[in-house]
Amino acid sequence: MSHRVPGVVSRVKGGPVELTTIVVADPGPGEALVRVQACGVCHTDLHYREGGINDHFPFLLGHEAAGIVESVGDGVGEVAPGDFVVLNWRAVCGNCRACLRGRPWYCFNTHNAVQPMTLTDGTPLSPALGIGAFAEKTLVHAGQCTKVNPRVAPEVAGLLGCGVMAGIGAAINTGGVGRGDSVAVIGCGGVGCAAIAGARLAGAAVIIAVDVDARKLELARGLGATHLVDSSAADPVVAIRGLTGGFGADVVIDAVGRPETYTQAFYARDLAGTVVLVGVPAPAMKLELPLLDVFGRGGALKSSWYGDCLPSRDFPTLVDLHLAGRLPLDGFVTERIGLADVEAAFAAMAGGDVLRSVVVL
Ligand SMILES: NC(=O)c1ccc[n+]([C@@H]2O[C@H](COP(=O)([O-])OP(=O)(O)OC[C@H]3O[C@@H](n4cnc5c(N)ncnc54)[C@H](O)[C@@H]3O)[C@@H](O)[C@H]2O)c1
Ligand SMILES: [Zn+2]
Ligand SMILES: [Zn+2]
């Protein structure tokens, strides 16, 4: 049997998204059908519809989701119907070179559903990040379902499925932020604010939020920033050095992903400090730095895909920290919207009005 449900599709590069009927198959071997309860609107969805990720239109957008497993296919043991799960785009294989070396976040053989979801005329859809959850139901690989404590609100839990995990992980997993460190975060949208919350969780002493939008800086303060820098008015490199005794921060996180913000991050870190790039650059962007500075300034230049997370390890822990009152994940949910409001949510995101709009079903 297949299921006809509403879903949000991006048909053409740059065109508005469309709420239409999609067809979702019953799960085959290794797959799970999930009834989506909530799905956040991430900047990466906008990157997809702008053609910034690839040209495999039409896309079924949405990938920061939580929901209930409705049914599972043959051979699925890890989840069962009725389980409350957060969807992830890193279902690791356990067998590739990276997995066997104990670095599963570099797994190059991650699992997705095999059966395509389609439009009603049979056109296959490319699900965003292998998920596609701006839909009442979605079909994923069972390994993409991570069980977490069902006491957490779905609209909060779903955010761990992408942007919030990426930000927290950029600070803790990739950046290795530790007790007493100084941290600067450039770009305080959902991802950057999550990096700030992660830095606080890890015990950073100085947490500098940098953005060109004063509203985002206020949100960053609420999530743990100790200092705010409006980089539309002040040079962030000078400001960050000034707030760190002239040295620069131990860890600087670029949560924008542009050559100019990366260059700011590069020069705002302490000698031997770490730069973490978590914002996703557009394909045409190029970086130019004096190679002598790359050499002479030592330290580490890292990028962070999905916060170097392992969903099965990190999602349940972060949900438990939230439920214990130590991680204010509800602070990321600016508005609850319907499936028909995704295009408006993109405009709100571009206008800087929200940290996260979350589709609630
Ligand atoms: N690495 C990953 O795994 C991963 C996961 C999710 C999202 N992302 C990426 O992270 C980035 C941020 O995502 P988001 O959802 O937080 O987006 P967002 O649009 O909510 O936030 C971006 C923020 O950057 C600020 N900004 C823009 N230009 C700036 C500049 N020059 N200097 C300082 N601040 C500036 C904006 O004011 C805004 O607050 C996107 O590129 C997104 O695709 C990466
Ligand atoms: Zn693997
Ligand atoms: Zn995302």
Side-chain angles (χ1 to χ4, degrees), residues 167-191:
I168 294 175
I172 297 180
N173 295 335
T174 314
V177 172
R179 200 163 53 243
D181 279 352
S182 57
V183 179
V185 177
I186 302 176
C188 300
V191 174

PDB file of all heavy atoms in Angstrom, residues 167-191:
ATOM      1  N   GLY A 167      25.238  23.010  15.404  1.00  0.00           N
ATOM      2  CA  GLY A 167      25.850  24.097  16.171  1.00  0.00           C
ATOM      3  C   GLY A 167      26.474  23.607  17.470  1.00  0.00           C
ATOM      4  O   GLY A 167      27.631  23.919  17.783  1.00  0.00           O
ATOM      5  N   ILE A 168      25.698  22.829  18.219  1.00  0.00           N
ATOM      6  CA  ILE A 168      26.236  22.321  19.496  1.00  0.00           C
ATOM      7  C   ILE A 168      27.469  21.461  19.223  1.00  0.00           C
ATOM      8  O   ILE A 168      28.500  21.583  19.898  1.00  0.00           O
ATOM      9  CB  ILE A 168      25.163  21.495  20.253  1.00  0.00           C
ATOM     10  CG1 ILE A 168      24.010  22.392  20.685  1.00  0.00           C
ATOM     11  CG2 ILE A 168      25.787  20.791  21.463  1.00  0.00           C
ATOM     12  CD1 ILE A 168      22.843  21.642  21.339  1.00  0.00           C
ATOM     13  N   GLY A 169      27.381  20.619  18.209  1.00  0.00           N
ATOM     14  CA  GLY A 169      28.499  19.737  17.886  1.00  0.00           C
ATOM     15  C   GLY A 169      29.703  20.500  17.355  1.00  0.00           C
ATOM     16  O   GLY A 169      30.850  20.109  17.602  1.00  0.00           O
ATOM     17  N   ALA A 170      29.454  21.590  16.621  1.00  0.00           N
ATOM     18  CA  ALA A 170      30.578  22.399  16.127  1.00  0.00           C
ATOM     19  C   ALA A 170      31.408  22.899  17.297  1.00  0.00           C
ATOM     20  O   ALA A 170      32.642  22.934  17.238  1.00  0.00           O
ATOM     21  CB  ALA A 170      30.060  23.566  15.289  1.00  0.00           C
ATOM     22  N   ALA A 171      30.725  23.275  18.381  1.00  0.00           N
ATOM     23  CA  ALA A 171      31.446  23.761  19.566  1.00  0.00           C
ATOM     24  C   ALA A 171      32.086  22.604  20.329  1.00  0.00           C
ATOM     25  O   ALA A 171      33.285  22.621  20.619  1.00  0.00           O
ATOM     26  CB  ALA A 171      30.483  24.536  20.475  1.00  0.00           C
ATOM     27  N   ILE A 172      31.295  21.586  20.644  1.00  0.00           N
ATOM     28  CA  ILE A 172      31.761  20.555  21.580  1.00  0.00           C
ATOM     29  C   ILE A 172      32.559  19.460  20.872  1.00  0.00           C
ATOM     30  O   ILE A 172      33.662  19.110  21.305  1.00  0.00           O
ATOM     31  CB  ILE A 172      30.555  19.942  22.333  1.00  0.00           C
ATOM     32  CG1 ILE A 172      29.878  21.027  23.184  1.00  0.00           C
ATOM     33  CG2 ILE A 172      31.008  18.774  23.201  1.00  0.00           C
ATOM     34  CD1 ILE A 172      28.683  20.540  23.979  1.00  0.00           C
ATOM     35  N   ASN A 173      31.996  18.917  19.768  1.00  0.00           N
ATOM     36  CA  ASN A 173      32.674  17.785  19.120  1.00  0.00           C
ATOM     37  C   ASN A 173      33.835  18.242  18.245  1.00  0.00           C
ATOM     38  O   ASN A 173      34.937  17.703  18.327  1.00  0.00           O
ATOM     39  CB  ASN A 173      31.685  16.987  18.262  1.00  0.00           C
ATOM     40  CG  ASN A 173      30.594  16.320  19.087  1.00  0.00           C
ATOM     41  OD1 ASN A 173      30.782  16.051  20.274  1.00  0.00           O
ATOM     42  ND2 ASN A 173      29.460  16.073  18.471  1.00  0.00           N
ATOM     43  N   THR A 174      33.577  19.221  17.363  1.00  0.00           N
ATOM     44  CA  THR A 174      34.620  19.638  16.415  1.00  0.00           C
ATOM     45  C   THR A 174      35.585  20.616  17.071  1.00  0.00           C
ATOM     46  O   THR A 174      36.792  20.455  16.972  1.00  0.00           O
ATOM     47  CB  THR A 174      33.992  20.287  15.169  1.00  0.00           C
ATOM     48  OG1 THR A 174      32.906  19.487  14.715  1.00  0.00           O
ATOM     49  CG2 THR A 174      35.016  20.441  14.055  1.00  0.00           C
ATOM     50  N   GLY A 175      35.047  21.634  17.729  1.00  0.00           N
ATOM     51  CA  GLY A 175      35.897  22.674  18.324  1.00  0.00           C
ATOM     52  C   GLY A 175      36.573  22.218  19.598  1.00  0.00           C
ATOM     53  O   GLY A 175      37.566  22.808  20.017  1.00  0.00           O
ATOM     54  N   GLY A 176      36.030  21.198  20.238  1.00  0.00           N
ATOM     55  CA  GLY A 176      36.617  20.721  21.493  1.00  0.00           C
ATOM     56  C   GLY A 176      36.604  21.773  22.584  1.00  0.00           C
ATOM     57  O   GLY A 176      37.508  21.834  23.425  1.00  0.00           O
ATOM     58  N   VAL A 177      35.572  22.622  22.602  1.00  0.00           N
ATOM     59  CA  VAL A 177      35.499  23.674  23.623  1.00  0.00           C
ATOM     60  C   VAL A 177      35.507  23.033  25.006  1.00  0.00           C
ATOM     61  O   VAL A 177      34.807  22.041  25.249  1.00  0.00           O
ATOM     62  CB  VAL A 177      34.202  24.507  23.452  1.00  0.00           C
ATOM     63  CG1 VAL A 177      34.013  25.466  24.625  1.00  0.00           C
ATOM     64  CG2 VAL A 177      34.249  25.280  22.130  1.00  0.00           C
ATOM     65  N   GLY A 178      36.308  23.597  25.878  1.00  0.00           N
ATOM     66  CA  GLY A 178      36.417  23.049  27.232  1.00  0.00           C
ATOM     67  C   GLY A 178      36.228  24.122  28.287  1.00  0.00           C
ATOM     68  O   GLY A 178      36.098  25.316  27.974  1.00  0.00           O
ATOM     69  N   ARG A 179      36.235  23.686  29.538  1.00  0.00           N
ATOM     70  CA  ARG A 179      35.999  24.586  30.665  1.00  0.00           C
ATOM     71  C   ARG A 179      37.002  25.738  30.651  1.00  0.00           C
ATOM     72  O   ARG A 179      38.201  25.527  30.517  1.00  0.00           O
ATOM     73  CB  ARG A 179      36.124  23.771  31.959  1.00  0.00           C
ATOM     74  CG  ARG A 179      35.478  24.392  33.146  1.00  0.00           C
ATOM     75  CD  ARG A 179      35.261  23.399  34.264  1.00  0.00           C
ATOM     76  NE  ARG A 179      36.485  22.689  34.630  1.00  0.00           N
ATOM     77  CZ  ARG A 179      36.654  21.375  34.515  1.00  0.00           C
ATOM     78  NH1 ARG A 179      35.697  20.626  34.044  1.00  0.00           N
ATOM     79  NH2 ARG A 179      37.786  20.810  34.876  1.00  0.00           N
ATOM     80  N   GLY A 180      36.487  26.967  30.740  1.00  0.00           N
ATOM     81  CA  GLY A 180      37.367  28.130  30.826  1.00  0.00           C
ATOM     82  C   GLY A 180      37.793  28.697  29.490  1.00  0.00           C
ATOM     83  O   GLY A 180      38.440  29.747  29.438  1.00  0.00           O
ATOM     84  N   ASP A 181      37.434  28.059  28.391  1.00  0.00           N
ATOM     85  CA  ASP A 181      37.851  28.549  27.067  1.00  0.00           C
ATOM     86  C   ASP A 181      37.149  29.855  26.709  1.00  0.00           C
ATOM     87  O   ASP A 181      36.081  30.176  27.233  1.00  0.00           O
ATOM     88  CB  ASP A 181      37.496  27.518  25.979  1.00  0.00           C
ATOM     89  CG  ASP A 181      38.515  26.390  25.894  1.00  0.00           C
ATOM     90  OD1 ASP A 181      39.563  26.478  26.560  1.00  0.00           O
ATOM     91  OD2 ASP A 181      38.243  25.414  25.156  1.00  0.00           O
ATOM     92  N   SER A 182      37.770  30.568  25.757  1.00  0.00           N
ATOM     93  CA  SER A 182      37.074  31.686  25.111  1.00  0.00           C
ATOM     94  C   SER A 182      36.621  31.227  23.730  1.00  0.00           C
ATOM     95  O   SER A 182      37.349  30.538  23.012  1.00  0.00           O
ATOM     96  CB  SER A 182      38.003  32.904  25.007  1.00  0.00           C
ATOM     97  OG  SER A 182      39.181  32.569  24.311  1.00  0.00           O
ATOM     98  N   VAL A 183      35.392  31.598  23.395  1.00  0.00           N
ATOM     99  CA  VAL A 183      34.771  31.148  22.141  1.00  0.00           C
ATOM    100  C   VAL A 183      34.111  32.343  21.484  1.00  0.00           C
ATOM    101  O   VAL A 183      33.491  33.163  22.166  1.00  0.00           O
ATOM    102  CB  VAL A 183      33.701  30.057  22.424  1.00  0.00           C
ATOM    103  CG1 VAL A 183      33.025  29.610  21.128  1.00  0.00           C
ATOM    104  CG2 VAL A 183      34.320  28.861  23.135  1.00  0.00           C
ATOM    105  N   ALA A 184      34.267  32.473  20.171  1.00  0.00           N
ATOM    106  CA  ALA A 184      33.506  33.483  19.421  1.00  0.00           C
ATOM    107  C   ALA A 184      32.714  32.770  18.346  1.00  0.00           C
ATOM    108  O   ALA A 184      33.203  31.817  17.729  1.00  0.00           O
ATOM    109  CB  ALA A 184      34.446  34.516  18.802  1.00  0.00           C
ATOM    110  N   VAL A 185      31.482  33.204  18.140  1.00  0.00           N
ATOM    111  CA  VAL A 185      30.615  32.598  17.132  1.00  0.00           C
ATOM    112  C   VAL A 185      30.158  33.695  16.179  1.00  0.00           C
ATOM    113  O   VAL A 185      29.544  34.681  16.610  1.00  0.00           O
ATOM    114  CB  VAL A 185      29.393  31.915  17.787  1.00  0.00           C
ATOM    115  CG1 VAL A 185      28.474  31.353  16.709  1.00  0.00           C
ATOM    116  CG2 VAL A 185      29.845  30.815  18.746  1.00  0.00           C
ATOM    117  N   ILE A 186      30.491  33.532  14.895  1.00  0.00           N
ATOM    118  CA  ILE A 186      30.113  34.523  13.882  1.00  0.00           C
ATOM    119  C   ILE A 186      28.866  34.023  13.166  1.00  0.00           C
ATOM    120  O   ILE A 186      28.890  32.958  12.544  1.00  0.00           O
ATOM    121  CB  ILE A 186      31.266  34.756  12.892  1.00  0.00           C
ATOM    122  CG1 ILE A 186      32.522  35.223  13.643  1.00  0.00           C
ATOM    123  CG2 ILE A 186      30.860  35.785  11.827  1.00  0.00           C
ATOM    124  CD1 ILE A 186      33.756  35.389  12.768  1.00  0.00           C
ATOM    125  N   GLY A 187      27.781  34.798  13.282  1.00  0.00           N
ATOM    126  CA  GLY A 187      26.498  34.375  12.707  1.00  0.00           C
ATOM    127  C   GLY A 187      25.656  33.694  13.766  1.00  0.00           C
ATOM    128  O   GLY A 187      25.949  32.567  14.162  1.00  0.00           O
ATOM    129  N   CYS A 188      24.630  34.382  14.236  1.00  0.00           N
ATOM    130  CA  CYS A 188      23.845  33.854  15.362  1.00  0.00           C
ATOM    131  C   CYS A 188      22.418  33.535  14.936  1.00  0.00           C
ATOM    132  O   CYS A 188      21.448  33.963  15.557  1.00  0.00           O
ATOM    133  CB  CYS A 188      23.879  34.832  16.528  1.00  0.00           C
ATOM    134  SG  CYS A 188      25.563  35.128  17.096  1.00  0.00           S
ATOM    135  N   GLY A 189      22.283  32.761  13.858  1.00  0.00           N
ATOM    136  CA  GLY A 189      21.002  32.147  13.517  1.00  0.00           C
ATOM    137  C   GLY A 189      20.838  30.899  14.376  1.00  0.00           C
ATOM    138  O   GLY A 189      21.453  30.765  15.440  1.00  0.00           O
ATOM    139  N   GLY A 190      20.009  29.975  13.905  1.00  0.00           N
ATOM    140  CA  GLY A 190      19.776  28.761  14.684  1.00  0.00           C
ATOM    141  C   GLY A 190      21.065  28.006  14.946  1.00  0.00           C
ATOM    142  O   GLY A 190      21.318  27.537  16.059  1.00  0.00           O
ATOM    143  N   VAL A 191      21.918  27.909  13.931  1.00  0.00           N
ATOM    144  CA  VAL A 191      23.148  27.128  14.079  1.00  0.00           C
ATOM    145  C   VAL A 191      24.128  27.839  15.020  1.00  0.00           C
ATOM    146  O   VAL A 191      24.676  27.234  15.947  1.00  0.00           O
ATOM    147  CB  VAL A 191      23.785  26.865  12.696  1.00  0.00           C
ATOM    148  CG1 VAL A 191      25.138  26.193  12.836  1.00  0.00           C
ATOM    149  CG2 VAL A 191      22.844  26.007  11.838  1.00  0.00           C
TER     150      VAL A 191
END
